[in-house]
Amino acid sequence: MGALHRGHFALLRAARRRERSVVATLFVNQTQFNDPSDYDAYPRDEAADLAAFKASGVDLVFAPSTDEMYPAGFGTRIDPGPIGADLEGARRPGHFAGVATVVAKLFNLTRPTRAYLGQKDWQQTRVIDRMVKDLNLPVDLVIVPTVRDPDGLALSSRNVRLTPDQRQAALSLWRGLSLARDAWDDDERSPTALADLLKSMVQAEPLAELGYAEVRHALTLEPVTAADPPLVIAVAAEIGGVGLIDNVVLGEGLVGEAEVIDLPSAK
């Protein structure tokens, strides 16, 4: 959706290494915003994005207008079902119907062999995976690991809206995830205990309003009774009116290889 950062560039590099041709789509999709003010505030700089695409070796950019994507009389929406109803779906009603609909349209219009998605929006990857399978769309998904700043903050187009104090507060998400991940590495297998560690770190930050802190099956997003892979530890919080999400995925082969960067641990 534009406002490109190093996380997007990681997707482009991953595609460029593997593919003969790389197409990027650029479209701020109004139908996935349940809050109009959030849509209005979403950062946009098409000229900078196009320059970044060119520098990244993209062969073609598809940047339709809203009228092209949603002409007069448009009335079809894709309901992603239960996998899109919880977590972000509960926080943002209608969000994943908007995501599924626009991604299906973009797939149909660009006809990719493979689509490269970022791990940070983990539930979104599961919604799109479910849609691709249910609708028999001929595209394979490649999940690229989350790209972070050296202090651990997950890159997001929304980060530019954070004040310096709010950005420091946003680190509570990664610190909580690191605490839970380190406990899992030390053989903690209680989903409740892991989620509580994550919650405690975020709730201790005065500027952060916790949305959820959950341990789920990584592929189905269903609750688990034991924290065994495949697993996702997911968190959402609002800081200064900016919604942020992050996660840690545990299990082999679920995401690609991470770019090498030294990140702080909870230990």
Side-chain angles (χ1 to χ4, degrees), residues 146-160:
T146 300
V147 178
R148 302 179 181 277
D149 280 333
D151 58 10
L153 183 66
L155 298 188
S156 169
S157 299
R158 300 174 189 273
N159 289 355
V160 298

Side-chain angles (χ1 to χ4, degrees), residues 86-92 95-96 120-123 153-154 158 169-174 176-177 195 198-205 207-216 232-248:
D86 201 1
L87 302 174
E88 281 302 290
R91 282 208 319 145
R92 305 167 67 186
H95 170 67
F96 285 119
K120 184 177 73 69
D121 297 292
W122 184 254
Q123 187 175 9
L153 183 66
R158 300 174 189 273
L171 292 175
S172 62
L173 277 69
W174 173 243
L177 287 170
L198 173 53
K199 287 178 185 177
S200 65
M201 184 65 74
V202 178
Q203 290 175 329
E205 170 51 59
L207 297 181
E209 181 180 345
L210 180 68
Y212 57 79
E214 296 282 344
V215 178
R216 299 291 182 93
V232 60
I233 308 173
V235 63
E238 188 169 296
I239 298 175
V242 179
L244 300 175
I245 58 174
D246 203 352
N247 65 75
V248 167

Side-chain angles (χ1 to χ4, degrees), residues 158-215:
R158 300 174 189 273
N159 289 355
V160 298
R161 295 168 54 191
L162 299 171
T163 67
D165 286 345
Q166 290 165 352
R167 192 196 176 285
Q168 281 298 116
L171 292 175
S172 62
L173 277 69
W174 173 243
R175 289 170 181 151
L177 287 170
S178 297
L179 197 64
R181 181 199 58 196
D182 289 349
W184 188 87
D185 287 341
D186 290 335
D187 295 324
E188 176 59 72
R189 291 298 182 268
S190 165
T192 300
L194 295 175
D196 285 346
L197 288 170
L198 173 53
K199 287 178 185 177
S200 65
M201 184 65 74
V202 178
Q203 290 175 329
E205 170 51 59
L207 297 181
E209 181 180 345
L210 180 68
Y212 57 79
E214 296 282 344
V215 178

